[in-house]
């Protein structure tokens, strides 16, 4: 694909050093090449599209002005870094994006020297870049450091902690705000671009620095001059907050005007201290379907680049859809229900709820810690908060979960999506640890459904519990079990015997029931749908241990401290020593790929479970089972 003649200018660019040899007048044409290349590539592989289309010019300008990778460029989240990957030696591998053995969908240090910091979760760029800037100062290096953060990621509290620290220590750092949530009318845009060039220029910078030195000797005059500058800038641009934090604020400027971007960045590169550049971009820029609906085209499956129509694979109802439907049904029954999400309305299945119950829906932004304590406050006043959150993002609010919810035994319910492996999004988004980090908490009831209908009934069960409760379920669809409209609470802490067998008992947690049943059928094993991780059905576990020679636990969670560990602890406490086999995710971070292939690689498909059991049983029994 990259050999096609329409990408002739892009063909000349393999690394940023090639880019810096281009005449500045050719940069807009290069931007168009990158944009078309990106559309064609992602149309084949799927991936994140709208955000990257919006950062093409900004990416070109940053690599054109700064001497990367010597100068550090730190991206936030990573959805917008596809143009960065194209310009940093990975153009020919873009067709492998998010596939097994291919490029990651996020910046990754192991992948390229230009990926200075691995990301996936938001609001980390300024903190990381500040650390790099301080390291450069310690080494007395001339290395420059730039953090690029989006307006959504800037809603995270960690970003403000870093801004406050950077401004206070007068760090040599440039923060670029990629603001794609507002528009610039032609006159405001022209005025802002003009002001940015003036305010980032050497004359203004020297004047500003000199006036500080002179006027500080006359304190009342210095204070008056400082307030006058802030007043003038505050009338014309939204930078007062960042000025108060100690940054020299410049902008907003048009993020698709390469000439202005290059000129402004050159001016800022020559400055020192904390600088803040506000750049306004448009998600999906240059591709009409993505511009019209950047939310739909944020993450895409393969699509027709001519029409934007995406491929739709036949699939059953997803767990996310089951949750969204249950939430609306429950809200109809109980006016106390409040739905909360940390900026994941679409991903967590809250669109219908937000439309039907707008006064009871709260998107708190990328602020997971706040989301949990906010929910705790609601629960204190008799309301019933339901926090819809990805497993990987709940990790960010662990202290609030312990201190503000579990310690006070507050009835906050968690609908934990993306539990287990997540395929193309890889290690940064995998929910590999929630059973381990949740199981340790007092007062928390923790459960995992084996199918779609059980998910609905478990959500209802969790909602009725007068204390913290969590339901964790995987990404995508389940085994295809029909979802009943009626709601029936499950007996808390009670497992379900799904198949009676001999010699071997397989204890399956959540998504692992289907492959466990398949493996159990071939081995004539007992198979149990455990349902609850906490409280564990200890009576059933002990009875199975007495009646079977081998107990096997299977979970889509890391083995360390997970559901299998809970079973082991139960048996040890009772003084029973049956032969045990714990199956789960290995003690390493798993790269991106096809979810089913990844589970098979971990030995968590039916055949993998069967093979592991045969390896674990005595030779005589293995021979009998192998012939069965």
């Amino acid at each position: 694909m990259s050999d096609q003649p329409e990408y002739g200018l892009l063909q000349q660019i393999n690394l940023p050093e090639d880019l810096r040899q281009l005449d500045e007048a050719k940069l807009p044409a290069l931007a168009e090449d990158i944009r078309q290349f990106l559309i064609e590539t992602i149309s084949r592989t799927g991936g994140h599209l709208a955000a990257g289309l919006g950062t093409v010019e900004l990416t070109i300008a940053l690599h054109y002005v700064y001497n990367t990778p010597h100068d550090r460029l730190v991206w936030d989240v990573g959805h917008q870094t596809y143009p960065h990957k194209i310009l940093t030696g990975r153009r020919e591998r873009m067709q492998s994006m998010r596939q097994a053995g291919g490029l990651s969908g996020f910046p990754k240090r192991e992948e390229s020297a230009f990926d200075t910091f691995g990301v996936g979760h938001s609001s980390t760029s300024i903190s990381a870049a500040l650390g790099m800037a301080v390291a450069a100062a310690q080494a007395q290096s001339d290395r420059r450091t730039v953090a690029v953060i989006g307006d959504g990621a800037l809603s995270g509290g960690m970003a403000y902690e870093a801004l406050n620290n950077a401004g206070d220590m007068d760090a040599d750092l440039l923060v670029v705000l990629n603001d794609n949530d507002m528009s610039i009318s032609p006159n405001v845009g022209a005025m802002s671009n003009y002001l940015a060039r003036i305010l980032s220029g050497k004359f203004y910078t020297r004047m500003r620095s000199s006036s500080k030195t002179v006027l500080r000797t006359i304190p009342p005059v210095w204070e008056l001059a400082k307030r006058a500058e802030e007043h003038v800038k505050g009338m014309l641009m939204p930078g007062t907050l960042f000025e108060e934090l100690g940054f020299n604020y410049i902008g907003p400027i048009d993020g698709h005007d390469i000439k202005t971007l290059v000129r402004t960045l050159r001016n800022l590169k020559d400055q020192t201290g904390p600088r803040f550049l506000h750049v306004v971009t448009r998600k999906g820029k240059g591709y009409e379907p993505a511009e019209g609906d950047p939310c739909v085209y944020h993450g895409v499956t393969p699509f027709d680049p001519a029409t934007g129509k995406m491929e739709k694979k036949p699939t059953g109802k997803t767990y996310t859809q089951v949750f969204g439907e249950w939430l609306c049904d429950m809200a109809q029954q109980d006016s106390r229900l409040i739905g909360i999400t940390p900026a994941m309305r679409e991903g967590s299945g809250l669109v219908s709820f937000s439309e039907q119950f707008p006064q009871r829906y709260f998107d708190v932004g990328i602020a997971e810690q706040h989301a949990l304590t906010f929910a705790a406050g609601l629960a204190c006043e008799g309301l019933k908060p339901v926090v819809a959150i990805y497993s990987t993002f709940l990790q960010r609010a662990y202290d609030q979960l312990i201190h503000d919810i579990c310690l006070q035994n507050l009835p906050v319910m968690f609908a934990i999506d993306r539990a287990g492996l997540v395929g193309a999004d890889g290690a940064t988004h995998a929910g590999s640890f929630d059973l381990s980090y949740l199981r340790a908490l007092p007062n928390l009831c923790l459960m995992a459904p084996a199918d779609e209908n059980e998910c609905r009934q478990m959500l209802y069960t969790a909602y009725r519990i007068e204390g913290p409760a969590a339901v964790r379920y995987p990404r995508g669809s389940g085994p295809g079990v029909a979802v009943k409209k009626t709601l029936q609470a499950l007996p808390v802490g009670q497992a379900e015997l799904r198949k009676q067998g001999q010699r071997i008992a397989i204890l399956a947690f959540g998504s692992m029931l289907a492959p466990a049943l398949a493996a159990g059928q071939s081995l004539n094993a007992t198979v149990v749908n455990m349902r609850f991780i906490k409280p564990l059905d200890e009576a059933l576990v002990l009875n199975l241990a007495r009646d079977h020679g081998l107990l096997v636990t299977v979970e889509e969670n890391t083995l360390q401290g997970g559901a299998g560990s809970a079973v082991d602890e139960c048996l040890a406490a009772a003084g029973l020593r049956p032969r045990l086999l714990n199956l789960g995710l290995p003690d390493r971070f798993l790269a991106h790929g096809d979810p089913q292939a990844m589970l098979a690689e971990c030995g968590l498909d039916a055949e993998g479970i069967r093979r592991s059991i045969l390896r674990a049983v005595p030779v005589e029994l293995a021979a009998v089972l192998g012939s069965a």
Side-chain angles (χ1 to χ4, degrees):
M1 179 177 57
S2 58
D3 294 330
Q4 296 176 3
E6 58 263 40
Y7 304 121
L9 191 56
L10 179 57
Q11 276 290 95
Q12 302 174 30
I13 311 299
N14 292 312
L15 292 168
E17 60 192 55
D18 303 321
L19 169 65
R20 292 189 278 269
Q21 300 303 312
L22 277 185
D23 187 285
E24 187 177 331
K26 292 184 177 181
L27 297 184
L30 175 63
E32 191 58 31
D33 275 2
I34 292 175
R35 192 164 271 117
Q36 293 307 313
F37 179 84
L38 190 59
I39 293 168
E40 289 291 336
T41 302
I42 303 306
S43 74
R44 300 183 183 189
T45 65
H48 296 104
L49 180 65
L53 290 173
T55 59
V56 172
E57 288 83 4
L58 175 59
T59 305
I60 291 172
L62 286 166
H63 282 295
Y64 193 70
V65 172
Y66 285 88
N67 182 28
T68 55
H70 172 73
D71 290 333
R72 305 300 197 232
L73 181 56
V74 184
W75 297 91
D76 212 285
V77 183
H79 296 143
Q80 72 273 41
T81 58
Y82 288 18
H84 162 79
K85 289 180 182 263
I86 291 170
L87 289 172
T88 53
R90 288 168 278 182
R91 184 182 71 248
E92 298 297 334
R93 297 186 63 207
M94 289 297 289
Q95 59 188 347
S96 71
M97 181 71 70
R98 291 159 42 96
Q99 299 172 34
L103 295 177
S104 168
F106 304 95
K108 190 173 182 180
R109 282 169 55 84
E110 297 90 341
E111 192 175 287
S112 171
F114 291 90
D115 292 358
T116 58
F117 195 76
V119 295
H121 291 185
S122 79
S123 313
T124 62
S125 61
I126 304 175
S127 296
L130 177 58
M132 294 176 186
V134 169
Q138 294 280 335
Q140 298 183 330
S141 170
D142 64 350
R143 188 174 68 236
R144 300 294 190 180
T145 308
V146 181
V148 184
I149 187 168
D151 55 284
L154 199 63
S155 68
M158 184 177 176
Y160 287 95
E161 293 175 12
L163 285 170
N164 184 58
N165 190 205
D168 182 62
M169 65 172 31
D170 199 33
D172 189 8
L173 172 68
L174 171 63
V175 175
V176 179
L177 170 60
N178 172 31
D179 182 354
N180 52 33
D181 197 38
M182 64 175 284
S183 60
I184 298 182
S185 60
N187 58 330
V188 175
M191 177 60 75
S192 295
N193 287 349
Y194 171 74
L195 286 170
R197 289 197 299 270
I198 295 298
L199 295 175
S200 66
K202 292 182 179 179
F203 173 75
Y204 175 79
T205 303
R206 282 198 301 267
M207 183 183 72
R208 192 171 185 264
S209 180
S210 299
S211 65
K212 285 182 182 179
T213 303
V214 174
L215 295 177
R216 272 202 180 98
T217 62
I218 316 172
V221 179
W222 160 243
E223 187 62 29
L224 178 63
K226 181 181 177 184
R227 291 187 179 185
E229 179 190 38
E230 291 174 352
H231 180 64
V232 172
K233 294 175 81 171
M235 287 191 300
L236 299 171
M237 59 197 76
T240 305
L241 169 63
F242 304 107
E243 293 279 348
E244 290 294 334
L245 288 170
F247 282 74
N248 179 26
Y249 173 91
I250 305 298
I253 65 173
D254 184 353
H256 302 297
D257 182 341
I258 286 189
K259 184 177 180 180
T260 296
L261 281 169
V262 169
R263 186 177 301 179
T264 304
L265 287 170
R266 278 177 175 157
N267 288 339
L268 290 170
K269 184 181 179 183
D270 291 337
Q271 296 180 20
T272 57
R275 292 94 73 205
F276 192 100
L277 175 61
H278 185 169
V279 175
V280 177
T281 62
R282 183 170 185 176
K283 278 186 177 179
K285 173 71 174 176
Y287 187 52
E288 186 175 345
E291 285 190 19
D293 199 337
C295 185
V296 167
Y297 286 85
H298 167 72
V300 298
T301 57
F303 62 94
D304 181 351
T307 64
K309 186 176 181 180
M310 294 184 215
E311 294 179 7
K312 289 190 176 179
K313 298 179 180 179
T315 180
K317 184 170 290 188
T318 67
Y319 285 101
T320 303
Q321 290 171 329
V322 171
F323 164 71
E325 292 172 5
W326 169 83
L327 190 68
C328 291
D329 292 345
M330 200 69 237
Q332 291 280 7
Q333 297 183 27
D334 190 346
S335 61
R336 298 174 300 158
L337 187 150
I338 303 292
I340 302 169
T341 178
M344 294 303 296
R345 185 184 74 147
E346 289 77 17
S348 292
L350 287 165
V351 174
S352 293
F353 178 82
S354 69
E355 294 169 349
Q356 294 180 43
F357 305 95
Q359 301 304 313
R360 292 154 65 185
Y361 165 74
F362 295 91
D363 182 343
V364 301
I366 303 177
E368 295 86 358
Q369 294 172 306
H370 164 61
L372 267 66
T373 305
F374 170 57
L378 290 166
C380 284
E381 299 303 317
L383 296 177
K384 294 283 287 184
V386 177
V387 180
I389 190 167
Y390 287 9
S391 171
T392 185
F393 297 147
L394 183 56
Q395 296 164 183
R396 311 188 84 188
Y398 196 50
D399 180 65
Q400 286 68 30
L401 178 60
I402 297 171
H403 185 274
D404 298 337
I405 294 176
C406 290
L407 180 62
Q408 302 185 87
N409 200 26
L410 292 173
V412 177
M413 177 187 158
F414 295 91
I416 304 174
D417 206 332
R418 270 62 167 182
L421 301 179
V422 292
D425 281 337
T428 59
H429 283 59
S432 304
F433 310 106
D434 54 75
L435 294 186
S436 301
Y437 70 72
L438 293 173
R439 190 175 74 80
L441 304 183
N443 297 329
L444 179 70
C445 178
L446 176 58
M447 57 195 92
D451 58 52
E452 299 89 336
N453 182 60
E454 191 167 75
C455 182
R456 179 176 171 88
Q457 309 313 326
M458 277 189 180
L459 291 165
Y460 180 60
T461 305
Y463 187 77
R464 288 164 52 91
I465 291 173
E466 288 303 319
V471 180
R472 60 99 75 170
Y473 44 88
R475 182 178 190 171
S477 56
V481 174
V483 179
K484 297 178 181 178
K485 191 68 175 175
T486 55
L487 293 170
Q488 184 174 2
L490 303 176
V492 175
Q494 185 173 315
E496 176 193 31
L497 181 65
R498 290 295 294 268
K499 179 186 178 301
Q500 182 64 58
Q502 295 180 341
R503 301 186 180 93
I504 299 167
I506 306 175
L507 283 58
F509 292 86
S511 61
M512 290 292 97
L513 179 63
L517 280 169
Q521 188 65 40
S522 68
L523 298 172
N524 191 26
T526 296
V527 181
V528 179
N529 174 18
M530 291 302 294
R531 288 180 167 170
F532 290 85
I533 296 87
K534 189 174 185 177
L536 188 71
D537 191 339
E538 295 187 352
L540 180 59
V541 169
L542 297 177
N543 285 335
L544 291 171
R546 295 184 182 103
D547 297 339
H548 296 75
L550 174 67
L551 258 60
V552 183
T553 65
V554 193
E555 61 190 298
E556 195 174 345
N557 184 85
T558 185
L559 283 172
Q560 285 71 25
S565 293
V567 171
D568 298 351
E569 292 162 12
C570 170
L571 294 168
L576 294 179
R577 296 290 186 270
R579 187 183 296 269
L580 286 170
L581 174 61
N582 298 135
L583 301 178
L585 299 179
D587 186 22
R588 58 184 171 87
F589 292 104
L590 297 167
H592 49 278
D594 176 77
Q596 294 307 312
M598 294 173 71
L599 285 172
E601 180 187 345
C602 296
L604 295 179
D605 60 346
E607 182 56 29
I609 294 170
R610 182 178 184 278
R611 285 198 306 266
S612 294
I613 290 173
L614 289 175
R615 284 195 297 266
V617 299
V619 176
E620 314 81 53
L621 182 56
V624 173
L625 295 172
S627 61

